[in-house]
Amino acid sequence: MKLATFNANSIRSRLDIVLNWLAEHRPDLLALQETKVADEEFPADAFREAGWEVEVHGQKARNGVAFLSWAPLESVSRGFGDPDWPEDCRLIAGRLGEVTVINTYVPNGTEVGTDKFSYKLEWLERFGRWVGERFAPTDPVVWLGDINIAPTPDDVYNSKRHAGKVGHHPDEIAALARLTAWGWTDLFRKFTEGPKHYTFWDYRLPDPVKRNLGWRIDHVYATAALAERCTACEIDRAPRALPSPSDHTFVVATFA
């Protein structure tokens, strides 16, 4: 089984990149984030014509998550299912065979000290409760997506410069640590240690990919039973160098 994640930063703008990547790599499932499109305008027909099943949870111009899979997903859910919680299209989950896959687009947080940063921390706490209410660490579950946190100094190109800023702030890192303590294994770090392995390169920097000025903020986590079956977790950097790319790239986990 092969599962992948990709922040498309507008699926309509990145449609050809995604279709071509799917045709070449043929994962069992691709989780998309930041689709930036209402459900009725998602380019589902293009994917269905290529043989993919489509599940979406989006909104116009911002956020949005989706699944593309070879087989139909079962028990698909969208959002926290909490009437008191804002629905901003950041969470979708479904079951592929025996495995439940959770796809998240964690809030960015924008700037430390703002309401948006507080919301990011609140969202992470709410997500942890959502997971704990539905699953046990012994269940076969994968959590993947744009987590918007670089948890260690090795996960950002200049940790000293960015320490204490959004994406590399102690409060975010602690919040993620509380989540992973529930029973998640960071699959990329199961196989690869050290710096310079990134999934996001900021458009605003000059030649960020060539200079490798990146962040590892797109993650794949699994519970213990699946982590033991994971045989590889890799970052496919090539799509970030294509014309008109997303600022993120694909991360792929393979399971026996």
Side-chain angles (χ1 to χ4, degrees):
M1 181 177 66
K2 184 186 294 185
L3 306 178
T5 182
F6 178 55
N7 179 317
N9 193 6
S10 175
I11 186 56
R12 289 184 291 186
S13 297
R14 250 53 79 180
L15 179 59
D16 287 345
I17 287 177
V18 174
L19 283 169
N20 290 338
W21 191 90
L22 288 170
E24 179 179 355
H25 296 275
R26 299 179 71 84
D28 295 277
L29 176 145
L30 173 64
L32 296 171
Q33 305 86 43
E34 206 172 356
T35 55
K36 292 186 176 181
V37 63
D39 290 352
E40 61 272 16
E41 296 180 358
F42 188 95
D45 289 346
F47 292 109
R48 290 183 178 127
E49 289 171 5
W52 297 93
E53 300 285 337
V54 180
E55 297 286 352
V56 296
H57 182 42
Q59 61 189 113
K60 182 178 180 180
R62 57 192 295 267
N63 302 342
V65 285
F67 284 129
L68 307 172
S69 59
W70 272 123
L73 298 179
E74 299 178 357
S75 303
V76 176
S77 65
R78 295 166 173 83
F80 292 127
D82 183 347
D84 297 325
W85 191 266
E87 185 47 77
D88 51 0
C89 300
R90 295 182 178 277
L91 169 64
I92 189 171
R95 196 171 73 247
L96 184 66
E98 65 175 13
V99 177
T100 296
V101 185
I102 303 168
N103 174 14
T104 63
Y105 176 41
V106 174
N108 174 275
T110 306
E111 186 176 347
V112 175
T114 64
D115 290 344
K116 290 183 177 180
F117 186 76
S118 296
Y119 178 69
K120 180 178 189 175
L121 298 178
E122 292 165 3
W123 194 98
L124 290 164
E125 191 275 335
R126 181 67 183 90
F127 175 69
R129 287 193 284 118
W130 181 89
V131 169
E133 291 163 359
R134 288 160 177 77
F135 308 104
T138 52
D139 294 333
V141 189
V142 171
W143 166 34
L144 74 179
D146 180 355
I147 311 303
N148 260 321
I149 300 171
T152 77
D154 284 346
D155 293 317
V156 60
Y157 70 93
N158 190 328
S159 179
K160 290 184 179 179
R161 177 187 297 175
H162 293 287
K165 297 180 181 179
V166 167
H168 199 48
H169 188 279
D171 291 349
E172 297 169 285
I173 294 168
L176 182 59
R178 287 191 292 272
L179 286 176
T180 55
W182 173 83
W184 296 115
T185 296
D186 182 340
L187 295 183
F188 182 78
R189 287 306 185 193
K190 176 184 175 183
F191 298 98
T192 306
E193 298 180 354
K196 300 183 180 181
H197 304 285
Y198 307 129
T199 66
F200 164 85
W201 297 262
D202 195 333
Y203 289 135
R204 296 169 295 181
L205 298 175
D207 295 322
V209 180
K210 183 177 180 180
R211 298 164 66 199
N212 203 22
L213 305 180
W215 297 62
R216 191 181 73 94
I217 57 175
D218 304 87
H219 303 178
V220 183
Y221 296 95
T223 52
L226 285 177
E228 291 174 0
R229 289 167 47 190
C230 186
T231 58
C233 186
E234 300 170 315
I235 298 167
D236 183 3
R237 183 168 161 167
R240 182 60 179 84
L242 294 171
S244 300
S246 169
D247 42 2
H248 297 249
T249 198
F250 296 79
V251 185
V252 187
T254 304
F255 301 83

